[in-house]
Amino acid sequence: MADNDPSLHEPTFTRIKDVRAKAMHHARLAQEFAAERRELMQSLVDRGVSQADIARELGVTRQAIQKMLAC
């Protein structure tokens, strides 16, 4: 068999598929966490906490907070 025969590389293809599935799972989790973070920050803004105060507390810029809330 030639080295370019896909059947010779089945363990590698299986590992690629496994890693891809895990990456997709982590991407979904990241989206969920980002949504929760936005909700929490928006609840602070709704209670009168300024974006600047949130930014200071989180160690980021006000513009970063503004961007996170806009998504």
Side-chain angles (χ1 to χ4, degrees), residues 1-10 13:
M1 284 190 183
D3 193 40
N4 62 354
D5 181 350
S7 66
L8 294 174
H9 305 287
E10 192 58 37
F13 284 119

Side-chain angles (χ1 to χ4, degrees), residues 28-55:
R28 281 191 296 275
L29 287 175
Q31 288 177 336
E32 291 172 16
F33 287 132
E36 182 179 2
R37 181 182 62 202
R38 274 191 305 277
E39 291 169 8
L40 291 166
M41 285 190 290
Q42 187 61 55
S43 73
L44 290 171
V45 170
D46 292 347
R47 287 184 268 157
V49 180
S50 73
Q51 290 182 7
D53 288 337
I54 296 169

Side-chain angles (χ1 to χ4, degrees), residues 12-32:
T12 302
F13 284 119
T14 299
R15 181 67 182 143
I16 291 169
K17 290 173 186 176
D18 180 51
V19 169
R20 180 178 182 269
K22 288 177 181 178
M24 291 173 61
H25 174 71
H26 285 278
R28 281 191 296 275
L29 287 175
Q31 288 177 336
E32 291 172 16

